Amino acid sequence: MAGYAFRTLQARQNLQTLWEQGNEAKDLAAVMSVPLSTIYTELRRGRSGDRLPDHRLKYDADLAQLRMQQELERRGTQTRR
């Protein structure tokens, strides 16, 4: 996880704020200095199913944090062959 862009809840909350302000994914990538694919992955991870007033899917930082922690726990419990 050394180079992971969204390690903290604070980074995710920053993304959520910028997203709710109407910024596009490419603008978020530039502001946060991460690849565009990283932004799309993170937006997908935090998708709540609700929509913003501009009809884009809502991003929930708390949900994204929970899903990431669950994924890390799942990876840690796998047995290696």
mmCIF file of all heavy atoms in Angstrom, residues 57-77:
data_model
loop_
_atom_site.group_PDB
_atom_site.id
_atom_site.type_symbol
_atom_site.label_atom_id
_atom_site.label_comp_id
_atom_site.label_asym_id
_atom_site.label_seq_id
_atom_site.Cartn_x
_atom_site.Cartn_y
_atom_site.Cartn_z
ATOM 1 N N LEU A 57 -23.398 10.148 -10.031
ATOM 2 C CA LEU A 57 -23.473 9.275 -8.862
ATOM 3 C C LEU A 57 -22.724 9.896 -7.696
ATOM 4 O O LEU A 57 -21.649 10.466 -7.858
ATOM 5 C CB LEU A 57 -22.884 7.899 -9.188
ATOM 6 C CG LEU A 57 -23.747 7.031 -10.092
ATOM 7 C CD1 LEU A 57 -22.974 5.799 -10.535
ATOM 8 C CD2 LEU A 57 -25.028 6.618 -9.385
ATOM 9 N N LYS A 58 -23.303 9.774 -6.530
ATOM 10 C CA LYS A 58 -22.721 10.356 -5.319
ATOM 11 C C LYS A 58 -21.566 9.492 -4.830
ATOM 12 O O LYS A 58 -21.608 8.265 -4.909
ATOM 13 C CB LYS A 58 -23.799 10.454 -4.244
ATOM 14 C CG LYS A 58 -23.356 11.168 -3.008
ATOM 15 C CD LYS A 58 -24.516 11.349 -2.051
ATOM 16 C CE LYS A 58 -24.036 12.115 -0.843
ATOM 17 N NZ LYS A 58 -25.130 12.355 0.095
ATOM 18 N N TYR A 59 -20.527 10.142 -4.322
ATOM 19 C CA TYR A 59 -19.377 9.471 -3.729
ATOM 20 C C TYR A 59 -19.450 9.673 -2.225
ATOM 21 O O TYR A 59 -19.619 10.793 -1.751
ATOM 22 C CB TYR A 59 -18.073 10.067 -4.277
ATOM 23 C CG TYR A 59 -16.834 9.547 -3.571
ATOM 24 C CD1 TYR A 59 -16.303 8.300 -3.894
ATOM 25 C CD2 TYR A 59 -16.202 10.289 -2.587
ATOM 26 C CE1 TYR A 59 -15.177 7.815 -3.254
ATOM 27 C CE2 TYR A 59 -15.076 9.814 -1.944
ATOM 28 C CZ TYR A 59 -14.569 8.583 -2.279
ATOM 29 O OH TYR A 59 -13.458 8.105 -1.644
ATOM 30 N N ASP A 60 -19.331 8.585 -1.466
ATOM 31 C CA ASP A 60 -19.378 8.641 -0.013
ATOM 32 C C ASP A 60 -18.021 8.204 0.538
ATOM 33 O O ASP A 60 -17.638 7.034 0.408
ATOM 34 C CB ASP A 60 -20.492 7.729 0.500
ATOM 35 C CG ASP A 60 -20.692 7.796 1.998
ATOM 36 O OD1 ASP A 60 -19.745 8.141 2.727
ATOM 37 O OD2 ASP A 60 -21.813 7.497 2.442
ATOM 38 N N ALA A 61 -17.302 9.137 1.142
ATOM 39 C CA ALA A 61 -15.958 8.865 1.649
ATOM 40 C C ALA A 61 -15.965 7.807 2.751
ATOM 41 O O ALA A 61 -15.086 6.948 2.797
ATOM 42 C CB ALA A 61 -15.325 10.152 2.169
ATOM 43 N N ASP A 62 -16.958 7.850 3.619
ATOM 44 C CA ASP A 62 -17.035 6.866 4.706
ATOM 45 C C ASP A 62 -17.261 5.461 4.161
ATOM 46 O O ASP A 62 -16.658 4.492 4.637
ATOM 47 C CB ASP A 62 -18.153 7.239 5.686
ATOM 48 C CG ASP A 62 -17.865 8.529 6.432
ATOM 49 O OD1 ASP A 62 -16.703 8.744 6.819
ATOM 50 O OD2 ASP A 62 -18.808 9.322 6.621
ATOM 51 N N LEU A 63 -18.119 5.347 3.171
ATOM 52 C CA LEU A 63 -18.382 4.051 2.545
ATOM 53 C C LEU A 63 -17.132 3.531 1.835
ATOM 54 O O LEU A 63 -16.800 2.345 1.935
ATOM 55 C CB LEU A 63 -19.538 4.183 1.550
ATOM 56 C CG LEU A 63 -19.945 2.924 0.803
ATOM 57 C CD1 LEU A 63 -20.376 1.832 1.774
ATOM 58 C CD2 LEU A 63 -21.061 3.247 -0.181
ATOM 59 N N ALA A 64 -16.422 4.410 1.142
ATOM 60 C CA ALA A 64 -15.187 4.003 0.463
ATOM 61 C C ALA A 64 -14.145 3.525 1.466
ATOM 62 O O ALA A 64 -13.450 2.528 1.233
ATOM 63 C CB ALA A 64 -14.632 5.164 -0.353
ATOM 64 N N GLN A 65 -14.036 4.210 2.594
ATOM 65 C CA GLN A 65 -13.085 3.812 3.632
ATOM 66 C C GLN A 65 -13.447 2.435 4.176
ATOM 67 O O GLN A 65 -12.580 1.578 4.348
ATOM 68 C CB GLN A 65 -13.078 4.856 4.760
ATOM 69 C CG GLN A 65 -12.056 4.607 5.829
ATOM 70 C CD GLN A 65 -10.645 4.951 5.405
ATOM 71 O OE1 GLN A 65 -10.429 5.565 4.371
ATOM 72 N NE2 GLN A 65 -9.685 4.543 6.187
ATOM 73 N N LEU A 66 -14.721 2.214 4.442
ATOM 74 C CA LEU A 66 -15.181 0.924 4.946
ATOM 75 C C LEU A 66 -14.889 -0.190 3.946
ATOM 76 O O LEU A 66 -14.357 -1.248 4.313
ATOM 77 C CB LEU A 66 -16.674 0.984 5.239
ATOM 78 C CG LEU A 66 -17.327 -0.330 5.661
ATOM 79 C CD1 LEU A 66 -16.768 -0.791 6.997
ATOM 80 C CD2 LEU A 66 -18.828 -0.181 5.719
ATOM 81 N N ARG A 67 -15.199 0.042 2.686
ATOM 82 C CA ARG A 67 -14.961 -0.984 1.671
ATOM 83 C C ARG A 67 -13.477 -1.293 1.509
ATOM 84 O O ARG A 67 -13.095 -2.444 1.312
ATOM 85 C CB ARG A 67 -15.551 -0.548 0.332
ATOM 86 C CG ARG A 67 -17.058 -0.627 0.321
ATOM 87 C CD ARG A 67 -17.634 -0.208 -0.993
ATOM 88 N NE ARG A 67 -19.087 -0.374 -1.001
ATOM 89 C CZ ARG A 67 -19.883 0.190 -1.875
ATOM 90 N NH1 ARG A 67 -19.395 0.948 -2.840
ATOM 91 N NH2 ARG A 67 -21.192 0.000 -1.813
ATOM 92 N N MET A 68 -12.632 -0.279 1.605
ATOM 93 C CA MET A 68 -11.195 -0.504 1.483
ATOM 94 C C MET A 68 -10.676 -1.312 2.666
ATOM 95 O O MET A 68 -9.871 -2.223 2.496
ATOM 96 C CB MET A 68 -10.454 0.834 1.370
ATOM 97 C CG MET A 68 -8.998 0.692 1.054
ATOM 98 S SD MET A 68 -8.791 -0.033 -0.578
ATOM 99 C CE MET A 68 -7.242 -0.850 -0.372
ATOM 100 N N GLN A 69 -11.139 -0.984 3.862
ATOM 101 C CA GLN A 69 -10.698 -1.734 5.033
ATOM 102 C C GLN A 69 -11.159 -3.186 4.955
ATOM 103 O O GLN A 69 -10.416 -4.096 5.314
ATOM 104 C CB GLN A 69 -11.192 -1.067 6.304
ATOM 105 C CG GLN A 69 -10.487 0.250 6.531
ATOM 106 C CD GLN A 69 -10.616 0.766 7.934
ATOM 107 O OE1 GLN A 69 -11.675 0.662 8.529
ATOM 108 N NE2 GLN A 69 -9.549 1.328 8.432
ATOM 109 N N GLN A 70 -12.374 -3.405 4.471
ATOM 110 C CA GLN A 70 -12.868 -4.772 4.302
ATOM 111 C C GLN A 70 -12.012 -5.533 3.290
ATOM 112 O O GLN A 70 -11.703 -6.710 3.489
ATOM 113 C CB GLN A 70 -14.330 -4.763 3.863
ATOM 114 C CG GLN A 70 -15.271 -4.323 4.944
ATOM 115 C CD GLN A 70 -16.697 -4.137 4.441
ATOM 116 O OE1 GLN A 70 -16.941 -3.938 3.253
ATOM 117 N NE2 GLN A 70 -17.645 -4.190 5.359
ATOM 118 N N GLU A 71 -11.641 -4.862 2.212
ATOM 119 C CA GLU A 71 -10.798 -5.491 1.193
ATOM 120 C C GLU A 71 -9.431 -5.851 1.763
ATOM 121 O O GLU A 71 -8.902 -6.942 1.507
ATOM 122 C CB GLU A 71 -10.652 -4.568 -0.014
ATOM 123 C CG GLU A 71 -9.735 -5.083 -1.106
ATOM 124 C CD GLU A 71 -10.213 -6.383 -1.744
ATOM 125 O OE1 GLU A 71 -11.415 -6.666 -1.714
ATOM 126 O OE2 GLU A 71 -9.358 -7.122 -2.263
ATOM 127 N N LEU A 72 -8.854 -4.963 2.529
ATOM 128 C CA LEU A 72 -7.546 -5.249 3.129
ATOM 129 C C LEU A 72 -7.631 -6.410 4.105
ATOM 130 O O LEU A 72 -6.729 -7.249 4.156
ATOM 131 C CB LEU A 72 -6.997 -4.005 3.823
ATOM 132 C CG LEU A 72 -6.571 -2.871 2.894
ATOM 133 C CD1 LEU A 72 -6.192 -1.641 3.711
ATOM 134 C CD2 LEU A 72 -5.425 -3.293 1.999
ATOM 135 N N GLU A 73 -8.704 -6.478 4.873
ATOM 136 C CA GLU A 73 -8.893 -7.604 5.799
ATOM 137 C C GLU A 73 -9.063 -8.907 5.036
ATOM 138 O O GLU A 73 -8.519 -9.940 5.416
ATOM 139 C CB GLU A 73 -10.107 -7.351 6.691
ATOM 140 C CG GLU A 73 -9.867 -6.263 7.717
ATOM 141 C CD GLU A 73 -11.126 -5.877 8.467
ATOM 142 O OE1 GLU A 73 -12.167 -6.565 8.321
ATOM 143 O OE2 GLU A 73 -11.078 -4.874 9.205
ATOM 144 N N ARG A 74 -9.828 -8.865 3.952
ATOM 145 C CA ARG A 74 -10.053 -10.060 3.140
ATOM 146 C C ARG A 74 -8.742 -10.545 2.528
ATOM 147 O O ARG A 74 -8.452 -11.737 2.509
ATOM 148 C CB ARG A 74 -11.088 -9.747 2.060
ATOM 149 C CG ARG A 74 -11.601 -10.935 1.331
ATOM 150 C CD ARG A 74 -12.815 -10.660 0.444
ATOM 151 N NE ARG A 74 -12.859 -9.377 -0.232
ATOM 152 C CZ ARG A 74 -13.676 -8.366 0.124
ATOM 153 N NH1 ARG A 74 -14.479 -8.484 1.161
ATOM 154 N NH2 ARG A 74 -13.678 -7.240 -0.550
ATOM 155 N N ARG A 75 -7.925 -9.618 2.057
ATOM 156 C CA ARG A 75 -6.631 -10.000 1.481
ATOM 157 C C ARG A 75 -5.722 -10.630 2.526
ATOM 158 O O ARG A 75 -4.986 -11.557 2.238
ATOM 159 C CB ARG A 75 -5.916 -8.776 0.910
ATOM 160 C CG ARG A 75 -6.519 -8.235 -0.338
ATOM 161 C CD ARG A 75 -5.724 -7.048 -0.791
ATOM 162 N NE ARG A 75 -6.445 -6.281 -1.795
ATOM 163 C CZ ARG A 75 -6.050 -5.122 -2.251
ATOM 164 N NH1 ARG A 75 -4.931 -4.570 -1.799
ATOM 165 N NH2 ARG A 75 -6.751 -4.494 -3.159
ATOM 166 N N GLY A 76 -5.793 -10.129 3.734
ATOM 167 C CA GLY A 76 -4.934 -10.617 4.799
ATOM 168 C C GLY A 76 -5.294 -12.002 5.285
ATOM 169 O O GLY A 76 -4.465 -12.711 5.833
ATOM 170 N N THR A 77 -6.542 -12.444 5.065
ATOM 171 C CA THR A 77 -6.974 -13.743 5.570
ATOM 172 C C THR A 77 -6.860 -14.850 4.531
ATOM 173 O O THR A 77 -7.149 -15.997 4.836
ATOM 174 C CB THR A 77 -8.430 -13.671 6.076
ATOM 175 O OG1 THR A 77 -9.265 -13.261 4.986
ATOM 176 C CG2 THR A 77 -8.552 -12.703 7.235
#
